[in-house]
Structures are given as structure tokens and as C-alpha cells.
Amino acid sequence: MSDVDFESEQYEKCREAGEILAQVRDEAAERVEVGASHLEVAEWAEGKIRELGGEPAFPVNISIDEEAAHATPERDDDSTFGEEMVNLDIGVHVDGWLADTAVTVDLSGHDELAAASEEALDAALDVAGPGVDVGEIGAAVEEVIEGYGFNPVVNLTGHGLGHWEQHTAPNIPNREVSQGAELSPGQVVAIEPFATDGRGKVKEGADEEIFALERQGSIRDRNARQVLEQIVDEYKTLPFAARWLDSPRAKMALRRLKQQNMVHGYPVLKEEDGKYVSQKEHTVIVTEDGVEVTTRSR
């Protein structure tokens, strides 16, 4: 037996974040339909998280077709959903304790690809537990996705969730690797299979709407200074959207802060061949005898 206290405040807050997130994910997914606005869905979900007592752990990601991650609407975005594959990736924190989840809403008619990542996640959850090598989880994911005739996205992984840290060790691969980390009781991890009908690699695109604090420091420009103060105060080390910033000249401030290496951006990640990507993700607490899924629908 380990000496982890699963009833401690930390885990209660992880569970609360997961519970809020499960409800918001399911309701947001219902709002994704042809003709609906990306910005309205994102802002509805972010608002609902706050209404339920959490805070967004990162901007709602709305990735379309070949996009795999880091896409979020800009301030005056007028994009609407078409007959596309839509991935919603949403995070919640309660006092910095995190939950992260994703679901594919397929409006494109590629339901097999959506099913592949969903079933791969189920297989991964069956395998996961204390003492399990993360490579075994990757092998379970890979086997299911390849069984459908698709490829896992190999350069995206699941990850640990820390306090105010959205990506920590261990990385959880989406393919078999020979030697990885072993899961241990008390870890909080996000497992997220990505399936594609392309070759299975993503690359960085040109667009960037999500940023995070790199370091604090002094900067002469007043606009940039005010934006930096808001970032430190409200988002700490967690990712935020340019549209969340109060400054009417937020984009210019972010450019200045990037030049000084005070913030970094997250370019949109796209499948290299321009093929479809589906995604499914849950957050789990590793227990003494398996995993507790915090983001499961209630």
C-alpha cells in the first residue's frame, strides 16, 4: 500500500474540476452543429465553467479536420462549423488542481475515425494502473487505432497534470515504446489518443492564439506591462487566449512580451498530410488498484 491520502483536499479539487468538466464537455458537444459559431461555443463553455465554480485551465480548443491541438477562436472570430471533424479539448482547474478532457464531434461522416480514438481510450483505461509502464498504454492505443485501419498521432502524447502545471511528467505515448515511466498511486494523468487517416505526425502551423507565461520581468512599454500584470495575476503559468486579455492592443503587447521571452505561444498543430484527426481524452487519478476517471459523464 502507498501512503497517498486520496481524500485530501488536492484530490477533492481534482475530482471537482473533473465533475465540472464532464458536464461542460457534454453540453458543449451538443452545441457543435453545422452553422454554429466557434466563438460562441468556446465562450459558452468557458463561461459555464466559471458559473459551476471552476476556472478554464486553458482556452477551449476547437480543432477542425487536420488540426490536432492549440486552435481557439480569436476575439472577433466569425468562423462557423461546416461538415467537418471537430475536436473539443477543454480544461478546468479548481485552485490550480486540474482536469483535462477532449471529445470528437464528427460532422464530416468519418464516424469510424472518431470511434477509433474513443475505443483506444477505453483500451488505455483498461490497461492503466499502478506499476504499469506507459509503453503498455501506448501499445493498447496503437493496437486499437491500427485495427481500424488508421494511425495514431505519434508526436502527441498524454501527460501528467501538476498544480498550476498543465503538462508534467510522465508523457503517455500513443504507440508502443520499449521503456517508459511507470505509473504510481496518486499521480494525476491525462490519457489522450489521437487517430488519423494520415501518416500520424503533426507539425506547427502559422496561427497562434494561445500563450503562456515564460518568466516575469520588467518591460518599458506600458501596454505590455499591463498585459503582463494581468497574465501573472489571473493565469499564472497556465495557458490563456489572446481574446481573454483586457487590452484593446493585446496582440501588440503579446508580440513585445514574446520578443523579451516573457511569454511563449502555442502554434496550431496540424496533421502533416492535411488528413483528419480525431481525439478522445480523460483525466485519471492512479489509485492502488487501477485508475479513477475524474472526467467521466455523470
Side-chain angles (χ1 to χ4, degrees):
M1 292 288 285
S2 72
D3 51 5
V4 179
D5 178 7
F6 289 101
E7 302 311 311
S8 66
E9 187 182 24
Q10 159 187 355
Y11 293 109
E12 288 306 327
K13 287 181 174 176
C14 288
R15 290 181 185 103
E16 189 186 337
E19 206 165 305
I20 291 167
L21 191 47
Q23 181 181 335
V24 172
R25 175 200 60 225
D26 293 352
E27 291 182 22
E30 287 173 13
R31 290 167 178 262
V32 174
E33 53 189 25
V34 174
S37 152
H38 290 200
L39 184 60
E40 282 175 21
V41 169
E43 289 189 333
W44 177 86
E46 289 160 3
K48 187 73 177 175
I49 288 166
R50 296 186 179 103
E51 189 187 305
L52 293 171
E55 285 290 329
F58 52 85
V60 170
N61 281 212
I62 298 179
S63 303
I64 304 294
D65 291 346
E66 76 278 8
E67 294 172 346
H70 304 159
T72 198
E74 53 187 326
R75 199 181 295 256
D76 300 314
D77 210 308
D78 58 1
S79 312
T80 57
F81 297 107
E83 292 182 352
E84 298 159 326
M85 180 159 282
V86 181
N87 293 329
L88 286 182
D89 192 342
I90 311 177
V92 168
H93 78 86
V94 174
D95 297 333
W97 299 105
L98 298 152
D100 187 355
T101 191
V103 64
T104 295
V105 183
D106 180 45
L107 307 175
S108 70
H110 290 75
D111 48 352
E112 288 274 289
L113 186 59
S117 54
E118 185 165 351
E119 202 177 298
L121 179 58
D122 289 340
L125 295 174
D126 285 344
V127 170
V132 173
D133 189 297
V134 295
E136 289 178 50
I137 299 173
V141 167
E142 184 173 38
E143 187 181 355
V144 169
I145 292 172
E146 288 186 345
Y148 271 90
F150 303 121
N151 287 311
V153 175
V154 295
N155 57 343
L156 288 175
T157 64
H159 50 89
L161 293 167
H163 192 218
W164 294 107
E165 280 190 285
Q166 203 227 327
H167 278 225
T168 65
N171 285 340
I172 301 185
N174 286 316
R175 62 167 169 178
E176 185 170 9
V177 295
S178 54
Q179 199 61 46
E182 270 190 15
L183 296 182
S184 53
Q187 284 179 318
V188 180
V189 296
I191 302 176
E192 51 180 328
F194 291 83
T196 179
D197 55 354
R199 272 176 300 187
K201 280 208 165 169
V202 292
K203 61 178 183 185
E204 292 186 351
D207 296 342
E208 224 174 46
E209 286 294 327
I210 298 176
F211 301 86
L213 180 68
E214 187 71 43
R215 64 177 183 89
Q216 297 186 47
S218 57
I219 190 158
R220 284 173 56 184
D221 181 77
R222 185 160 155 252
N223 176 41
R225 199 161 59 239
Q226 286 171 339
V227 165
L228 183 63
E229 281 169 16
Q230 183 185 356
I231 294 165
V232 171
D233 186 44
E234 292 183 31
Y235 312 121
K236 297 183 170 58
T237 48
L238 294 174
F240 61 89
R243 62 183 159 80
W244 289 358
L245 300 171
D246 298 333
S247 166
R249 301 198 313 284
K251 280 285 175 78
M252 191 179 291
L254 287 168
R255 263 202 303 278
R256 292 232 157 97
L257 292 169
K258 270 186 76 176
Q259 283 164 354
Q260 301 292 325
N261 297 319
M262 290 182 185
V263 303
H264 63 266
Y266 292 89
V268 174
L269 299 177
K270 302 182 174 194
E271 207 284 326
E272 279 186 353
D273 301 329
K275 300 291 192 179
Y276 288 103
V277 177
S278 74
Q279 176 192 14
K280 185 79 193 232
E281 176 182 23
H282 273 314
T283 295
V284 304
I285 299 169
V286 182
T287 61
E288 303 292 357
D289 54 3
V291 293
E292 174 190 344
V293 181
T294 63
T295 48
R296 197 161 258 153
S297 301
R298 302 298 189 277

